[in-house]
Amino acid sequence: MYRIFIVEDDVKIASILKNNMEKYGFEAASAMQFRELLPELAAFDPHLVLLDVNLPYFDGFYWCRQIRARSSMPIVFISARAGEMDQVMAIENGGDDYITKPIHLDLLMAKVRGVLRRAYGEYAAAGMGGASAAASAAAALGELEVRGLRLHLSRNELEWGGKRVELTKNEQLLAECLMKQSGHVASREQLLEALWDDVQFVDDNTLTVNVTRLRKKLEELALPKAIETIRGLGYKLVLPEEAEGATS
Protein backbone atom coordinates (compact mmCIF):
# COMPACT_ATOMS: atom_id res chain seq x y z
CA MET A 1 0.00 0.00 0.00
CA TYR A 2 1.43 3.38 -1.02
CA ARG A 3 1.74 6.05 1.69
CA ILE A 4 0.83 9.67 0.88
CA PHE A 5 1.98 12.53 3.13
CA ILE A 6 -0.25 15.63 2.85
CA VAL A 7 1.29 19.01 3.67
CA GLU A 8 -1.72 21.36 3.69
CA ASP A 9 -2.47 23.83 6.50
CA ASP A 10 -6.16 24.22 5.60
CA VAL A 11 -7.69 21.57 7.87
CA LYS A 12 -10.77 21.11 5.70
CA ILE A 13 -8.80 20.63 2.48
CA ALA A 14 -6.33 18.34 4.22
CA SER A 15 -9.20 16.19 5.50
CA ILE A 16 -10.79 15.97 2.03
CA LEU A 17 -7.48 14.96 0.49
CA LYS A 18 -6.78 12.37 3.18
CA ASN A 19 -10.25 10.83 2.88
CA ASN A 20 -9.97 10.71 -0.90
CA MET A 21 -6.56 9.02 -0.77
CA GLU A 22 -7.87 6.42 1.65
CA LYS A 23 -10.97 5.90 -0.49
CA TYR A 24 -8.71 4.75 -3.32
CA GLY A 25 -6.67 2.40 -1.18
CA PHE A 26 -3.74 4.59 -0.16
CA GLU A 27 -2.50 5.12 3.37
CA ALA A 28 -2.49 8.85 4.10
CA ALA A 29 -1.34 11.19 6.86
CA SER A 30 -1.53 14.96 7.23
CA ALA A 31 1.30 17.14 8.51
CA MET A 32 0.75 18.68 11.94
CA GLN A 33 4.00 20.57 12.64
CA PHE A 34 4.58 23.17 9.93
CA ARG A 35 7.59 24.75 11.59
CA GLU A 36 9.54 21.49 11.21
CA LEU A 37 8.10 18.93 8.80
CA LEU A 38 11.01 16.58 8.38
CA PRO A 39 10.66 14.51 11.59
CA GLU A 40 6.99 13.82 10.82
CA LEU A 41 7.81 13.00 7.23
CA ALA A 42 10.63 10.64 8.22
CA ALA A 43 8.42 8.87 10.76
CA PHE A 44 5.65 8.27 8.20
CA ASP A 45 8.14 7.34 5.44
CA PRO A 46 5.81 8.18 2.52
CA HIS A 47 6.06 7.18 -1.13
CA LEU A 48 4.72 10.56 -2.30
CA VAL A 49 4.19 14.05 -0.84
CA LEU A 50 1.29 16.39 -1.69
CA LEU A 51 2.73 19.82 -0.89
CA ASP A 52 0.94 23.16 -0.64
CA VAL A 53 2.88 26.31 -1.55
CA ASN A 54 1.39 28.75 0.99
CA LEU A 55 2.30 27.38 4.40
CA PRO A 56 3.05 28.86 7.84
CA TYR A 57 6.70 29.64 8.65
CA PHE A 58 8.23 28.38 5.38
CA ASP A 59 6.63 27.98 1.95
CA GLY A 60 6.33 24.79 -0.05
CA PHE A 61 9.30 25.64 -2.27
CA TYR A 62 11.54 25.68 0.81
CA TRP A 63 10.24 22.33 2.03
CA CYS A 64 10.56 20.83 -1.44
CA ARG A 65 14.26 21.73 -1.46
CA GLN A 66 14.69 20.27 2.02
CA ILE A 67 13.03 17.00 0.99
CA ARG A 68 15.01 16.86 -2.26
CA ALA A 69 18.27 17.16 -0.32
CA ARG A 70 17.37 13.90 1.42
CA SER A 71 15.11 11.95 -0.92
CA SER A 72 14.01 11.49 -4.53
CA MET A 73 10.43 10.60 -3.54
CA PRO A 74 7.79 12.18 -5.83
CA ILE A 75 6.45 15.60 -4.80
CA VAL A 76 3.21 16.96 -6.26
CA PHE A 77 2.44 20.61 -5.52
CA ILE A 78 -1.12 21.72 -4.78
CA SER A 79 -1.69 25.47 -4.73
CA ALA A 80 -4.14 28.29 -5.29
CA ARG A 81 -1.37 30.06 -7.21
CA ALA A 82 -2.18 29.52 -10.87
CA GLY A 83 0.58 31.67 -12.34
CA GLU A 84 3.04 30.20 -14.81
CA MET A 85 6.02 31.40 -12.75
CA ASP A 86 4.79 29.55 -9.67
CA GLN A 87 4.61 26.33 -11.67
CA VAL A 88 8.08 26.95 -13.06
CA MET A 89 9.42 27.55 -9.53
CA ALA A 90 7.77 24.35 -8.30
CA ILE A 91 9.53 22.27 -10.94
CA GLU A 92 12.82 24.16 -10.60
CA ASN A 93 12.79 23.44 -6.87
CA GLY A 94 12.37 19.70 -7.47
CA GLY A 95 8.64 19.12 -7.80
CA ASP A 96 7.29 16.43 -10.12
CA ASP A 97 3.91 17.97 -10.89
CA TYR A 98 1.64 20.91 -10.02
CA ILE A 99 -2.12 21.07 -9.46
CA THR A 100 -4.03 24.31 -8.98
CA LYS A 101 -6.90 24.86 -6.57
CA PRO A 102 -9.82 24.35 -6.54
CA ILE A 103 -8.66 20.74 -6.75
CA HIS A 104 -10.50 18.39 -9.08
CA LEU A 105 -10.17 15.08 -7.28
CA ASP A 106 -10.29 12.92 -10.43
CA LEU A 107 -7.42 14.91 -11.93
CA LEU A 108 -5.51 14.70 -8.65
CA MET A 109 -5.86 10.92 -8.50
CA ALA A 110 -4.81 10.54 -12.14
CA LYS A 111 -1.67 12.56 -11.50
CA VAL A 112 -0.87 10.75 -8.25
CA ARG A 113 -1.23 7.35 -9.90
CA GLY A 114 0.87 8.44 -12.86
CA VAL A 115 3.69 9.77 -10.70
CA LEU A 116 3.67 6.61 -8.56
CA ARG A 117 3.83 4.40 -11.65
CA ARG A 118 6.81 6.33 -12.98
CA ALA A 119 8.63 6.36 -9.66
CA TYR A 120 8.02 2.81 -8.49
CA GLY A 121 7.14 0.82 -11.62
CA GLU A 122 3.79 -0.49 -10.40
CA TYR A 123 2.96 -1.81 -13.86
CA ALA A 124 6.49 -2.63 -15.05
CA ALA A 125 5.66 -6.35 -15.35
CA ALA A 126 2.51 -5.78 -17.39
CA GLY A 127 4.26 -6.68 -20.65
CA MET A 128 3.95 -3.38 -22.54
CA GLY A 129 5.52 -3.07 -25.98
CA GLY A 130 7.06 -0.30 -28.06
CA ALA A 131 8.96 2.41 -26.22
CA SER A 132 8.17 0.85 -22.82
CA ALA A 133 9.79 -2.44 -23.81
CA ALA A 134 12.84 -0.58 -25.10
CA ALA A 135 13.09 1.32 -21.85
CA SER A 136 12.97 -1.93 -19.89
CA ALA A 137 15.74 -3.41 -22.03
CA ALA A 138 17.89 -0.33 -21.51
CA ALA A 139 17.30 -0.45 -17.77
CA ALA A 140 18.41 -4.07 -17.73
CA LEU A 141 21.71 -3.03 -19.31
CA GLY A 142 22.13 -0.28 -16.76
CA GLU A 143 23.20 2.46 -19.16
CA LEU A 144 22.74 4.07 -22.57
CA GLU A 145 25.54 5.57 -24.65
CA VAL A 146 25.34 7.81 -27.70
CA ARG A 147 28.56 9.17 -29.24
CA GLY A 148 30.30 9.37 -25.88
CA LEU A 149 27.35 10.69 -23.90
CA ARG A 150 26.53 8.06 -21.29
CA LEU A 151 23.36 7.79 -19.21
CA HIS A 152 23.73 5.67 -16.07
CA LEU A 153 20.16 4.54 -15.47
CA SER A 154 20.71 2.95 -12.07
CA ARG A 155 22.43 6.06 -10.68
CA ASN A 156 20.43 8.80 -12.41
CA GLU A 157 23.66 10.26 -13.80
CA LEU A 158 24.68 11.69 -17.14
CA GLU A 159 28.37 11.48 -18.13
CA TRP A 160 30.38 13.27 -20.79
CA GLY A 161 34.13 13.70 -21.13
CA GLY A 162 34.81 12.33 -17.67
CA LYS A 163 32.37 14.72 -15.99
CA ARG A 164 29.08 13.63 -14.40
CA VAL A 165 25.88 15.38 -13.35
CA GLU A 166 23.03 13.97 -11.30
CA LEU A 167 19.57 13.98 -12.87
CA THR A 168 16.10 14.05 -11.40
CA LYS A 169 13.76 11.23 -12.40
CA ASN A 170 12.04 13.38 -15.03
CA GLU A 171 15.36 14.58 -16.42
CA GLN A 172 16.54 10.98 -16.73
CA LEU A 173 13.37 9.89 -18.55
CA LEU A 174 13.68 12.85 -20.90
CA ALA A 175 17.38 12.17 -21.57
CA GLU A 176 16.63 8.49 -22.17
CA CYS A 177 13.94 9.28 -24.74
CA LEU A 178 16.13 11.81 -26.58
CA MET A 179 19.12 9.45 -26.63
CA LYS A 180 17.03 6.62 -28.09
CA GLN A 181 15.92 9.02 -30.82
CA SER A 182 19.43 10.43 -31.30
CA GLY A 183 19.77 12.03 -34.73
CA HIS A 184 16.00 12.07 -35.16
CA VAL A 185 13.27 14.30 -33.82
CA ALA A 186 11.58 13.17 -30.62
CA SER A 187 8.08 14.56 -30.89
CA ARG A 188 6.49 16.45 -28.02
CA GLU A 189 3.93 13.66 -27.80
CA GLN A 190 6.67 11.02 -27.41
CA LEU A 191 8.38 13.05 -24.69
CA LEU A 192 5.11 13.69 -22.88
CA GLU A 193 4.28 9.99 -22.93
CA ALA A 194 7.75 9.17 -21.58
CA LEU A 195 7.28 11.59 -18.70
CA TRP A 196 3.58 11.44 -17.89
CA ASP A 197 1.10 8.59 -18.26
CA ASP A 198 -1.94 10.90 -18.30
CA VAL A 199 -0.89 13.16 -21.16
CA GLN A 200 -4.28 14.83 -21.50
CA PHE A 201 -3.82 16.45 -18.09
CA VAL A 202 -0.35 17.88 -18.74
CA ASP A 203 0.27 21.57 -19.38
CA ASP A 204 2.57 21.76 -22.42
CA ASN A 205 4.63 24.37 -20.58
CA THR A 206 5.66 21.70 -18.07
CA LEU A 207 7.53 19.81 -20.81
CA THR A 208 9.29 23.01 -21.86
CA VAL A 209 10.43 23.60 -18.28
CA ASN A 210 11.79 20.05 -17.99
CA VAL A 211 13.67 20.41 -21.29
CA THR A 212 15.18 23.65 -19.97
CA ARG A 213 16.33 21.88 -16.82
CA LEU A 214 17.97 19.09 -18.83
CA ARG A 215 19.66 21.67 -21.06
CA LYS A 216 21.20 23.25 -17.96
CA LYS A 217 22.57 19.86 -16.89
CA LEU A 218 24.06 19.36 -20.36
CA GLU A 219 25.61 22.84 -20.17
CA GLU A 220 27.36 21.71 -16.98
CA LEU A 221 28.90 18.96 -19.11
CA ALA A 222 30.05 21.53 -21.72
CA LEU A 223 27.25 20.56 -24.13
CA PRO A 224 25.32 23.85 -24.37
CA LYS A 225 23.62 23.12 -27.71
CA ALA A 226 22.95 19.40 -27.37
CA ILE A 227 19.14 19.73 -27.46
CA GLU A 228 17.84 21.39 -30.60
CA THR A 229 14.27 22.69 -30.76
CA ILE A 230 12.52 21.64 -33.95
CA ARG A 231 9.69 24.16 -34.18
CA GLY A 232 6.25 22.59 -34.39
CA LEU A 233 7.61 19.06 -34.01
CA GLY A 234 9.66 18.50 -30.87
CA TYR A 235 13.34 18.20 -29.90
CA LYS A 236 16.44 16.49 -31.23
CA LEU A 237 19.65 15.44 -29.48
CA VAL A 238 22.60 16.78 -31.45
CA LEU A 239 26.10 15.87 -30.28
CA PRO A 240 29.39 17.13 -31.74
CA GLU A 241 31.44 14.83 -33.96
CA GLU A 242 34.30 14.71 -31.48
CA ALA A 243 31.91 13.19 -28.96
CA GLU A 244 32.71 9.66 -30.13
CA GLY A 245 34.92 7.96 -27.61
CA ALA A 246 35.26 11.08 -25.45
CA THR A 247 36.91 10.04 -22.23
CA SER A 248 38.62 13.10 -20.86
Side-chain angles (χ1 to χ4, degrees):
M1 179 185 295
Y2 287 117
R3 295 181 298 279
I4 313 297
F5 190 61
I6 301 163
V7 185
E8 166 62 68
D9 62 319
D10 185 308
V11 176
K12 183 176 180 180
I13 294 176
S15 178
I16 291 172
L17 292 174
K18 184 175 184 295
N19 290 339
N20 196 66
M21 292 295 134
E22 292 173 344
K23 173 183 174 183
Y24 286 94
F26 298 107
E27 183 179 350
S30 298
M32 303 298 291
Q33 302 296 327
F34 294 99
R35 186 184 293 275
E36 182 50 80
L37 287 173
L38 297 183
E40 271 188 285
L41 185 139
F44 187 61
D45 191 22
H47 295 92
L48 179 145
V49 176
L50 292 178
L51 181 61
D52 192 14
V53 174
N54 293 320
L55 295 168
Y57 308 111
F58 305 99
D59 66 18
F61 302 134
Y62 168 85
W63 286 119
C64 186
R65 292 193 300 272
Q66 295 301 305
I67 295 169
R68 275 288 163 267
R70 297 160 174 81
S71 172
S72 61
M73 74 176 70
I75 299 172
V76 176
F77 277 91
I78 47 175
S79 177
R81 300 185 189 179
E84 180 178 300
M85 198 60 226
D86 291 302
Q87 298 184 46
V88 170
M89 286 181 63
I91 294 173
E92 289 286 356
N93 280 280
D96 293 277
D97 215 324
Y98 192 101
I99 298 174
T100 56
K101 298 177 182 177
I103 299 168
H104 298 282
L105 295 176
D106 287 342
L107 170 58
L108 172 65
M109 294 311 303
K111 287 190 176 261
V112 165
R113 288 194 186 103
V115 170
L116 288 171
R117 283 196 293 269
R118 293 193 302 275
Y120 303 108
E122 181 179 357
Y123 301 129
M128 298 173 69
S132 296
S136 297
L141 293 172
E143 68 177 44
L144 287 175
E145 183 173 357
V146 177
R147 302 172 69 106
L149 181 65
R150 188 170 298 161
L151 176 62
H152 299 278
L153 295 160
S154 61
R155 299 198 299 268
N156 286 16
E157 288 181 346
L158 199 58
E159 180 181 359
W160 167 265
K163 297 180 181 178
R164 295 184 181 187
V165 293
E166 186 174 345
L167 305 178
T168 65
K169 185 65 176 177
N170 278 356
E171 289 165 358
Q172 176 176 306
L173 290 168
L174 190 59
E176 186 177 343
C177 187
L178 286 167
M179 290 176 73
K180 288 174 181 173
Q181 293 285 103
S182 178
H184 303 279
V185 177
S187 70
R188 298 184 72 87
E189 290 74 20
Q190 286 176 306
L191 295 170
L192 285 167
E193 287 175 4
L195 292 170
W196 295 281
D197 298 303
D198 300 286
V199 175
Q200 67 269 31
F201 293 133
V202 179
D203 183 343
D204 197 54
N205 180 64
T206 308
L207 174 60
T208 303
V209 170
N210 276 272
V211 170
T212 298
R213 291 178 63 186
L214 181 57
R215 277 181 169 143
K216 289 180 180 178
K217 295 294 178 69
L218 288 163
E219 286 175 8
E220 292 179 33
L221 296 176
L223 290 170
K225 299 180 180 179
I227 299 179
E228 181 180 347
T229 300
I230 310 299
R231 190 173 298 277
L233 295 175
Y235 300 92
K236 181 166 69 171
L237 183 67
V238 180
L239 298 171
E241 291 295 329
E242 60 268 23
E244 289 194 66
T247 58
S248 61

